[in-house]
Amino acid sequence: MASEKVLASKKERVAQLAELLKNSCSGAFVDYEGITVEEDTKLRREMRENNIQYFVEKNTMLRLALKEAGIEGLDDVLNGATAIAVSADDETAPARVLGKYSDELGDSKFNLKAGFIGATVYDQAGVTALSKIPSKEVLLAQLVGSLQGPLTKLAATLKAVADKKSEDGAA
């Protein structure tokens, strides 16, 4: 009787994880062995600030939930101490935050394993590349800045031409 209850609770947990994965636009997996409580607390705070859900889950549960969510190709990275970070609204946020901590703490303590955006799976090199992409806000600011420069120069040129014509007309 007890094993039926345990099995039912595990099935329910897999269903919850699958639903979370289906509603997430991206996720990243990390091997977190050896980080201190202080480092983990700092990481979790930054995750919350970026609207990222970060948690540790059993590899078997993750494997079943990923299969149910239609995300395939991650079975080989689900070993050892695995944590997952998922975001519902930012495609690069999980990889970016985990990549930052991987750079700070070193691969021996905090190693990026893999990730996904939608149904597309990225290996360790791919998720590391994703971690280097700036946030959407930074990219938009860079775009606005690159557009603002030429427009400012055009406005200054037109003003100079108008001033010159008004001087010529007054003389």
Side-chain angles (χ1 to χ4, degrees):
M1 187 72 164
S3 64
E4 288 179 21
K5 287 183 181 178
V6 171
L7 184 61
S9 70
K10 286 183 178 182
K11 284 183 179 179
E12 184 179 332
R13 179 63 183 152
V14 168
Q16 290 172 348
L17 285 171
E19 190 63 29
L20 174 66
L21 293 169
K22 286 177 188 174
N23 293 330
S24 299
C25 65
S26 65
F29 299 90
V30 67
D31 185 354
Y32 67 93
E33 248 176 295
I35 65 171
T36 65
V37 172
E38 182 181 326
E39 293 164 341
D40 189 52
T41 302
K42 183 179 171 189
L43 169 65
R44 288 177 186 273
R45 184 179 309 115
E46 189 165 345
M47 290 290 185
R48 279 190 302 275
E49 290 169 359
N50 287 283
N51 296 321
I52 301 169
Q53 291 186 31
Y54 173 77
F55 55 95
V56 176
E57 188 61 64
K58 290 186 176 191
N59 291 320
T60 304
M61 302 290 249
L62 281 173
R63 192 174 286 115
L64 294 170
L66 285 164
K67 184 177 180 182
E68 192 174 315
I71 302 169
E72 297 182 17
L74 291 166
D75 287 350
D76 56 334
V77 299
L78 295 177
N79 51 46
T82 304
I84 181 173
V86 293
S87 175
D89 55 0
D90 190 338
E91 288 82 4
T92 62
R96 190 175 57 252
V97 175
L98 291 177
K100 173 184 164 192
Y101 277 85
S102 179
D103 291 344
E104 285 178 13
L105 301 174
D107 286 343
S108 62
K109 276 182 141 182
F110 204 78
N111 186 24
L112 285 171
K113 290 182 169 187
F116 65 91
I117 296 179
T120 306
V121 174
Y122 295 92
D123 61 2
Q124 183 179 17
V127 78
T128 301
L130 285 173
S131 73
K132 307 298 183 207
I133 297 173
S135 69
K136 188 185 292 186
E137 292 78 19
V138 171
L139 289 173
L140 288 173
Q142 289 174 348
L143 175 65
V144 168
S146 66
L147 293 175
Q148 190 175 19
L151 291 176
T152 303
K153 288 180 184 176
L154 176 64
T157 303
L158 292 174
K159 184 172 183 343
V161 168
D163 289 348
K164 176 123 172 107
K165 285 192 176 187
S166 65
E167 287 175 9
D168 290 344

